Amino acid sequence: MKNKWYRMKGVKVLLVVLAHIFAIATTVGVLWVCANSTFRKEIFKGKPATKYEDSQNFNEQMKDYTAQVVDGISARKYFETEGKYDPNKIVDVEAYDQNMEYTGKNESGLSYRLSDLLKWDNAMNESGDKDGENPIIVCRKNDGTYRYYRYTAFAELINSKKLQFTFSVGSDTTTEKILSALKSGKYDYSTGEYGTTNGIHGIKNAEGKTVYVDCWNYDGASINEPYHPIGAESLMDLANKDPRWNGRLSEAYSTVSSVKDSLCEKYEQYRNTNDGIEEGDSNFYYIYADLKTGAIYTNQKRFENFQALESNLDVLRQTGKYVIVKSKLKDFQTNLKSEIAEAWRDEIKNSGTTKKDFVFAACVNTNYPIEDHFYTENMFYENYGSNIRLICVLSIISLFLFAGCVVWLVMIAGRRADDEDVHLVAFDHWKTEIAAAIVIGAWLTVGIVGNFVYFDEYMMGMDTTFYSQSDYIRNALPYMIAGGFFGGYTCTMFLIGLLSLVRRIKAHTVWGNSICRMFCHLVRDIIMNFPALMRGFIYFGVFVIVHWIALFSYGSGNAIVLMFIAEAIVFVYIVYDAIGRKKIGDGLKRIVAGELDYKIDTKRMIGGQKEAAESVNSIGDGLERAVEASMKNERLKTSLITNVSHDIKTPLTSIINYVNLLKNEHFEDPRLQRYIEVLEQKSMRLKTLTEDVVEASKISSGNIKLEYMNLDFTELIMQTSAEYEEKLEERNLTEVQNISMSKALVHVDGRRTWRILANLYNNAAKYAMSGSRIYTDLVVTDTEVVFSMKNVSEQPLNISADQLTERFIRGDVARSTEGSGLGLSIARTLTEMQKGKFELYLDGDLFKVVVTFPKVQENETGRIEK
């Protein structure tokens, strides 16, 4: 397969590194652009301003200062008398609430001094007021008007008999009950008594005259009253005294609260009229002229002369960027870029002191002689504005390059350069939901614990002014550095999660390795095996119910005892279940090991576990019967082979003898000589075959006795090699020996071991390629004696090594050569019977056999240790 370089490991590492670099560059670039409001607003314009005074932010700052000035000037009427602040000014609350104006007179009956309203405590009491434990009682008179009491005053009148409750006929209500309900603030006048259906019939005075028809707890709006209205001690006192406010106590409270808050807001506008733009503190100049009254409002003393208004406007026009607004749009003048005349006119008209006959002019000295907000913004625009668009473009390019790296990584995820298989990493084998939770959780943890929540504060403060370059670096750059790190970390988590998901999709394991699939399979298995699980579910249900009963019994003795009994039963069940599973496991191991008559003890087993154990015992019985039947068949086959071989051997011996007699006749006819030669070859082959069959039969049935002795394996190899030398030469085969001359003592049966070597040499003589070499090696180690033989087969070896050692299997598939197919099988069996190893290797036509026996150890005295 052609090597695909773009999938190589090095390419993947490079792409990951580049993706992180581009992600960090994008993050830092975005934060850099967002660090200054001027840059943000200009960067997305088709043609950004080249100078700060032509920027959108410059225009907006002028509008903000203009709104501050106009709002402050319009608020003067609420706080000044004859052009001076008047704290004793009378504020008619109702008039102000309805018309946003007041005359300085108490016309509605509800008025306060201006200073009292401005100093008022802004805190509202949600439960009523600061006297929440001394609630207001409302008493209704016969004429439909109301009288308001504090509870303490009302209770004192009741207790002193100056007022007395008149109860309904049959009512069980008492004075104490009513007072208690009123004090708690829960007296319900519709029923007459808290918690009963019988109430009072009225309230009489000391003379017995009914002065109130009923009473109840006040439930309307209420506020704390640190200051009192003019002419009254409190709003409640005002409602009792002034018929205009009787029955309107809740409205009075609400109105006072609303007016108080509104005036405080107006007062802040009044105080901050020139905040930050006082003469000598700002490059922003303004003039507001009321043409009717001739009043001039300005932050520059040189512009206070009303008569010099026009010449002062000319000065503003020549100073820098300016705007001049009059009541008519045709008179609007400005050298600001992209400003709408109507928007400016409406702002001044609706917020100023008059809707007609006004002139408003504002300008910014673009030489920036004073180091104010405009000066600082201009400095930053000059220092960074020329590069900010380039930074934005580079950030966008970095974003696209990051996306390209991600797409490339997605395409090659799970692939290698040298194959088409999908390769998963260890993380891909985790459950899908767990892997996703880890990636997302790790990202969120660093984002929150790592104090990245402070970016909210940073983003909120981006519109503020940095008064110097060092101030800007100190406040903005740390966030950009931290943001770069967080961008890199986010890239890491993103790539880990995305690439793992892609590899799972390619390997089709997203669903297959998910918890949801496990749950679905669990439900399926429960449904399919519900009858078998029913008993377990019942036990589990009882156990859970007992514990919930104990939980909700709040420590009841009987429930706790019941819970302990349930836990004890479960404990005993778990113990015996584990013992039973261990018994079944041990029984299976012993049966597998050959103890077919082993029986598992089924005592103290119940249910399905006992049935499983009995089934295992039945399996043992069945296997034992099967083994006995197999052994019986094997003995019958062995007996048959032995008997048939014996019956063949007798006539075969006669044939061989008669062939020898014919050879002694010395026939001169060549044809007769050939016939006799063929008879001799075939009869001897049949004899060898018969002997091999008998030998193999005895070995397989175990009907063979081994006579162990210590012998030198080297000598045995040399002897066998010499015996087969002539036979090898007949086929022009050369034996190349590499035999260790050191002592190679082995504890084996000499005759059977010679048979092993003879079979190997005989096999080589028959099947090795004519004219080739046969290599024999003997290696002696500290613990083993290893003999190996290898040669090249004359016939193709199209079978496996295991098949070649089976009975009656020959490498010569055409069976054109002599042989029974039993030689290698006999050699392997005899080797293994003597605790040796017989290993066969085939590599193409190369045949190799390795025979290994344990080496007999000799001690230092020369004595042999077995």
Side-chain angles (χ1 to χ4, degrees):
M1 178 182 293
K2 185 178 180 181
N3 189 288
K4 298 182 178 179
W5 63 268
Y6 55 87
R7 294 182 181 177
M8 295 175 63
K9 185 176 181 180
V11 174
K12 294 180 180 178
V13 172
L14 178 61
L15 288 172
V16 170
V17 172
L18 290 176
H20 281 77
I21 292 174
F22 295 140
I24 293 172
T26 302
T27 304
V28 173
V30 170
L31 291 175
W32 185 277
V33 172
C34 294
N36 189 284
S37 59
T38 304
F39 299 156
R40 292 200 312 274
K41 293 170 183 175
E42 290 298 314
I43 196 65
F44 297 108
K45 292 176 63 175
K47 188 177 181 181
T50 57
K51 295 182 179 180
Y52 171 62
E53 52 263 30
D54 295 329
S55 68
Q56 182 181 350
N57 188 70
F58 181 90
N59 294 356
E60 290 179 357
Q61 189 61 52
M62 282 195 67
K63 285 182 180 178
D64 290 342
Y65 279 142
T66 297
Q68 172 185 316
V69 167
V70 175
D71 288 341
I73 292 173
S74 64
R76 287 172 177 260
K77 62 183 178 181
Y78 299 112
F79 307 101
E80 294 182 352
T81 301
E82 296 180 356
K84 294 184 178 180
Y85 175 66
D86 184 5
N88 295 317
K89 195 171 186 177
I90 304 301
V91 179
D92 189 312
V93 172
E94 187 174 38
Y96 181 87
D97 183 63
Q98 293 176 355
N99 303 316
M100 292 297 291
E101 291 186 0
Y102 53 86
T103 62
K105 299 179 181 179
N106 186 3
E107 298 175 346
S108 68
L110 179 57
S111 299
Y112 285 87
R113 287 182 176 81
L114 176 62
S115 59
D116 291 343
L117 289 174
L118 296 180
K119 293 185 293 184
W120 199 297
D121 181 11
N122 292 322
M124 295 288 291
N125 188 339
E126 294 180 358
S127 63
D129 57 84
K130 67 179 182 180
D131 295 318
E133 296 182 358
N134 191 20
I136 298 174
I137 311 300
V138 183
C139 296
R140 186 173 62 180
K141 299 179 182 179
N142 292 318
D143 59 1
T145 60
Y146 302 92
R147 172 74 181 182
Y148 302 95
Y149 292 95
R150 285 291 178 180
Y151 169 77
T152 53
F154 183 75
E156 183 179 353
L157 293 174
I158 294 294
N159 292 329
S160 64
K161 306 298 183 182
K162 293 181 180 179
L163 293 177
Q164 298 181 28
F165 293 115
T166 301
F167 299 104
S168 302
V169 178
S171 172
D172 59 352
T173 304
T174 63
T175 298
E176 289 74 14
K177 289 183 179 180
I178 294 175
L179 289 178
S180 176
L182 288 170
K183 184 177 181 180
S184 67
K186 300 178 180 178
Y187 185 75
D188 186 355
Y189 74 90
S190 64
T191 60
E193 181 183 1
Y194 179 67
T196 67
T197 57
N198 299 316
I200 62 175
H201 190 63
I203 301 175
K204 297 181 179 180
N205 59 16
E207 290 77 23
K209 181 180 178 181
T210 300
V211 290
Y212 305 121
V213 295
D214 53 19
C215 68
W216 61 87
N217 283 105
Y218 171 76
D219 59 355
S222 179
I223 59 173
N224 297 328
E225 293 186 68
Y227 303 97
H228 57 79
I230 296 174
E233 296 181 358
S234 66
L235 289 175
M236 187 181 74
D237 182 45
L238 176 66
N240 287 331
K241 290 180 179 180
D242 195 330
R244 291 175 293 180
W245 290 97
N246 190 266
R248 297 172 60 195
L249 181 59
S250 179
E251 181 184 348
Y253 277 129
S254 300
T255 302
V256 170
S257 176
S258 175
V259 170
K260 168 181 63 67
D261 293 340
S262 176
L263 278 176
C264 287
E265 182 180 350
K266 293 288 185 183
Y267 185 66
E268 287 300 312
Q269 295 175 352
Y270 171 70
R271 289 178 56 197
N272 297 329
T273 302
N274 290 329
D275 184 37
I277 56 173
E278 292 89 353
E279 185 172 8
D281 286 338
S282 176
N283 294 304
F284 178 81
Y285 312 149
Y286 74 87
I287 300 174
Y288 185 92
D290 189 334
L291 301 181
K292 280 187 177 181
T293 63
I296 289 287
Y297 305 97
T298 179
N299 63 344
Q300 303 290 317
K301 289 185 178 181
R302 54 183 170 148
F303 298 149
E304 290 179 350
N305 186 358
F306 181 79
Q307 302 301 326
L309 177 61
E310 288 300 326
S311 63
N312 290 336
L313 293 179
D314 290 335
V315 172
L316 294 183
R317 292 187 187 97
Q318 298 170 8
T319 300
K321 291 292 184 179
Y322 69 90
V323 59
I324 299 176
V325 183
K326 297 182 181 180
S327 56
K328 299 295 183 180
L329 290 177
K330 66 183 181 63
D331 299 324
F332 178 80
Q333 300 175 32
T334 185
N335 61 353
L336 296 174
K337 287 190 175 182
S338 304
E339 286 304 304
I340 301 174
E342 187 175 5
W344 278 90
R345 194 279 307 271
D346 291 345
E347 172 71 22
I348 308 301
K349 180 179 178 180
N350 296 327
S351 301
T353 59
T354 179
K355 294 183 180 297
K356 294 182 179 180
D357 301 325
F358 66 85
V359 175
F360 177 81
C363 84
V364 174
N365 189 338
T366 52
N367 292 322
Y368 307 111
I370 299 174
E371 296 184 5
D372 64 347
H373 174 82
F374 290 101
Y375 170 85
T376 305
E377 289 289 343
N378 179 67
M379 179 188 68
F380 277 106
Y381 203 88
E382 289 180 353
N383 291 339
Y384 302 111
S386 59
N387 297 326
I388 200 67
R389 189 175 181 84
L390 176 62
I391 293 174
C392 185
V393 172
L394 292 177
S395 298
I396 295 173
I397 293 173
S398 295
L399 180 62
F400 278 103
L401 291 175
F402 169 77
C405 291
V406 171
V407 171
W408 192 336
L409 286 168
V410 166
M411 292 176 63
I412 65 175
R415 306 290 187 184
R416 292 180 182 172
D418 53 354
D419 61 42
E420 293 296 327
D421 297 333
V422 178
H423 300 275
L424 302 179
V425 300
F427 184 69
D428 300 335
H429 296 288
W430 293 24
K431 295 300 179 184
T432 303
E433 295 86 348
I434 294 176
I438 289 174
V439 172
I440 296 173
W443 180 79
L444 289 176
T445 300
V446 172
I448 296 173
V449 178
N451 294 325
F452 284 103
V453 289
Y454 290 136
F455 274 106
D456 292 338
E457 178 184 351
Y458 170 63
M459 297 299 286
M460 291 173 59
M462 286 192 306
D463 290 329
T464 60
T465 299
F466 297 117
Y467 294 101
S468 66
Q469 187 167 346
S470 60
D471 182 56
Y472 171 75
I473 294 172
R474 183 174 62 256
N475 288 276
L477 290 187
Y479 286 101
M480 285 188 277
I481 294 172
F485 280 111
F486 186 64
Y489 180 76
T490 300
C491 178
T492 300
M493 293 296 102
F494 173 74
L495 290 179
I496 290 174
L498 176 65
L499 297 182
S500 177
L501 176 62
V502 170
R503 288 190 294 267
R504 292 166 190 260
I505 292 174
K506 291 180 179 180
H508 307 290
T509 61
V510 176
W511 171 252
N513 192 30
S514 66
I515 296 177
C516 292
R517 179 177 179 272
M518 290 178 58
F519 179 76
C520 292
H521 283 199
L522 174 63
V523 173
R524 182 199 64 185
D525 294 341
I526 290 174
I527 294 173
M528 295 178 64
N529 300 279
F530 188 77
L533 298 172
M534 186 179 298
R535 180 163 32 182
F537 285 156
I538 293 173
Y539 293 157
F540 178 74
V542 171
F543 182 76
V544 171
I545 290 171
V546 168
H547 275 73
W548 279 103
I549 292 174
L551 178 64
F552 288 106
S553 66
Y554 301 103
S556 172
N558 293 333
I560 292 177
V561 170
L562 187 64
M563 182 182 70
F564 279 123
I565 292 174
E567 290 175 346
I569 292 173
V570 171
F571 177 76
V572 172
Y573 173 80
I574 291 173
V575 169
Y576 281 105
D577 180 72
I579 292 173
R581 283 189 281 107
K582 185 177 184 303
K583 286 182 177 180
I584 293 174
D586 292 343
L588 287 170
K589 290 179 181 178
R590 297 181 70 168
I591 291 173
V592 170
E595 297 183 46
L596 300 180
D597 58 345
Y598 179 79
K599 302 297 180 187
I600 299 173
D601 184 7
T602 58
K603 291 180 180 179
R604 297 181 181 177
M605 291 187 181
I606 59 174
Q609 198 173 72
K610 186 175 182 179
E611 293 176 1
E614 291 174 347
S615 298
V616 171
N617 290 338
S618 299
I619 290 174
D621 294 338
L623 287 174
E624 187 174 10
R625 288 192 296 270
V627 169
E628 288 178 357
S630 177
M631 292 297 292
K632 183 178 180 180
N633 292 335
E634 190 68 25
R635 285 194 294 270
L636 287 174
K637 287 190 288 184
T638 302
S639 177
L640 176 62
I641 292 171
T642 304
N643 292 333
V644 170
S645 299
H646 185 271
D647 290 343
I648 293 174
K649 186 180 288 187
T650 302
L652 181 59
T653 302
S654 299
I655 292 171
I656 292 173
N657 291 334
Y658 279 111
V659 168
N660 290 332
L661 291 175
L662 289 172
K663 287 174 63 178
N664 293 332
E665 293 295 329
H666 303 291
F667 293 108
E668 296 180 358
D669 188 345
R671 287 186 303 166
L672 292 177
Q673 292 177 357
R674 177 58 183 163
Y675 295 155
I676 294 172
E677 182 182 350
V678 171
L679 284 173
E680 182 182 25
Q681 290 175 354
K682 299 305 180 183
S683 60
M684 293 305 296
R685 181 179 177 185
L686 184 58
K687 179 182 179 183
T688 302
L689 177 60
T690 304
E691 291 174 350
D692 287 346
V693 170
V694 172
E695 184 80 10
S697 176
K698 289 180 180 180
I699 292 172
S700 63
S701 64
N703 188 19
I704 184 173
K705 184 178 180 182
L706 298 176
E707 298 178 358
Y708 285 99
M709 64 183 69
N710 293 329
L711 57 85
D712 190 344
F713 201 50
T714 304
E715 295 181 358
L716 189 60
I717 293 172
M718 300 303 292
Q719 178 186 341
T720 309
S721 175
E723 292 179 4
Y724 278 86
E725 183 178 358
E726 183 179 348
K727 196 169 185 179
L728 294 176
E729 290 177 352
E730 290 179 359
R731 299 197 63 237
N732 196 22
L733 297 173
T734 304
E735 181 181 6
V736 179
Q737 290 186 336
N738 183 19
I739 307 297
S740 174
M741 292 296 104
S742 59
K743 218 169 189 180
L745 284 180
V746 292
H747 191 67
V748 294
D749 184 314
R751 189 164 66 90
R752 307 297 180 186
T753 305
W754 177 88
R755 181 64 185 272
I756 294 170
L757 295 175
N759 284 2
L760 295 179
Y761 272 93
N762 190 45
N763 184 77
K766 291 178 181 178
Y767 300 112
M769 180 182 290
S770 179
S772 63
R773 296 183 182 87
I774 299 173
Y775 295 90
T776 55
D777 300 292
L778 179 65
V779 178
V780 180
T781 67
D782 293 338
T783 58
E784 292 179 332
V785 175
V786 182
F787 171 75
S788 66
M789 174 184 287
K790 57 186 175 181
N791 62 266
V792 177
S793 173
E794 191 168 31
Q795 301 293 332
L797 297 176
N798 297 323
I799 57 178
S800 67
D802 291 336
Q803 288 178 313
L804 202 57
T805 55
E806 292 180 5
R807 297 181 187 179
F808 305 107
I809 299 297
R810 296 165 59 182
D812 177 16
V813 179
R815 309 183 78 88
S816 59
T817 59
E818 295 184 4
S820 61
L822 294 171
L824 293 179
S825 175
I826 293 172
R828 184 188 67 177
T829 306
L830 288 174
T831 302
E832 293 173 352
M833 288 178 67
Q834 299 178 89
K835 301 179 182 179
K837 290 188 296 183
F838 188 92
E839 300 168 293
L840 194 60
Y841 304 96
L842 300 179
D843 186 1
D845 293 337
L846 177 65
F847 173 89
K848 180 180 179 181
V849 63
V850 179
V851 178
T852 305
F853 286 109
K855 180 183 178 183
V856 176
Q857 303 296 325
E858 290 184 324
N859 59 22
E860 295 179 355
T861 61
R863 298 183 61 184
I864 296 175
E865 295 180 354
K866 296 184 179 179

